Amino acid sequence: MMYNDLSQVFRVLNFYFIVNNKSTLASQYRSKLQVAINNDKGSVLFLSSSGNNQTQEADFLNAIMQVYIQEGLDEKNLTATNTEEFIDGQLAIINKSLQEAELDLEKFRLNNNVIDLSAEGRIIYDKVEAIQQEKIRLELLDRYYDY
């Protein structure tokens, strides 16, 4: 059978289309969907769906899994972001508190003539060491002149 133009093809073939509204279609898929959990506290879900077109059912289940996985990732990312913001906030509070304590300590030292013993001790130690080095140098000179 040979056709001269497309209008002849459409006269011979009959096409049928069913247009569903979204909520009706969603209800149909929802009623076909079976969900089972592996145990009471499990995080593994078993999904199944039945229908005339296995490829369409597989695509439906794969799409649901992609949405489920993405929502899980989004929730984990939100939790991580909130945790990071909380820690940053706590660190800022602690940092401010430490700076205030450091200023208070410095004011106390200035008002009470308190010295830093570790710094003062280091200065005294360096002076003693320098004096000992000078003593050794002078003893060597003395021996040299006595010889």
Side-chain angles (χ1 to χ4, degrees):
M1 189 184 279
M2 193 72 155
Y3 298 106
N4 293 334
D5 64 25
L6 287 177
S7 64
Q8 291 175 338
V9 173
F10 289 120
R11 279 190 225 134
V12 173
L13 299 173
N14 292 320
F15 293 98
Y16 297 97
F17 295 96
I18 298 173
V19 179
N20 293 308
N21 84 20
K22 289 180 185 178
S23 63
T24 302
L25 190 59
S27 294
Q28 288 173 353
Y29 273 101
R30 193 176 316 127
S31 67
K32 295 190 307 183
L33 181 64
Q34 301 291 320
V35 180
I37 301 174
N38 66 339
N39 63 37
D40 291 340
K41 296 180 183 178
S43 61
V44 176
L45 299 176
F46 298 102
L47 301 179
S48 62
S49 180
S50 59
N52 296 331
N53 187 338
Q54 289 181 350
T55 304
Q56 187 176 6
E57 299 303 318
D59 289 344
F60 166 66
L61 292 174
N62 287 332
I64 287 176
M65 290 307 301
Q66 288 302 318
V67 169
Y68 180 76
I69 290 168
Q70 187 60 50
E71 284 185 6
L73 290 174
D74 291 346
E75 185 178 328
K76 287 179 182 179
N77 286 338
L78 180 61
T79 300
T81 300
N82 289 342
T83 301
E84 182 181 3
E85 288 174 0
F86 173 77
I87 290 171
D88 286 345
Q90 293 299 306
L91 287 174
I93 291 168
I94 291 169
N95 187 32
K96 183 179 178 186
S97 175
L98 286 174
Q99 287 175 346
E100 290 172 357
E102 186 177 2
L103 288 174
D104 290 345
L105 178 61
E106 188 64 31
K107 287 177 187 175
F108 177 81
R109 284 181 176 166
L110 289 174
N111 291 338
N112 295 302
N113 293 324
V114 175
I115 57 171
D116 185 356
L117 292 180
S118 62
E120 287 295 316
R122 184 71 186 155
I123 291 170
I124 292 171
Y125 176 79
D126 290 343
K127 286 181 182 178
V128 168
E129 191 173 304
I131 291 170
Q132 286 177 340
Q133 291 295 325
E134 182 65 17
K135 178 183 171 191
I136 290 170
R137 188 184 73 77
L138 291 174
E139 286 175 349
L140 284 173
L141 278 176
D142 187 44
R143 284 187 202 146
Y144 174 77
Y145 290 127
D146 284 342
Y147 180 68

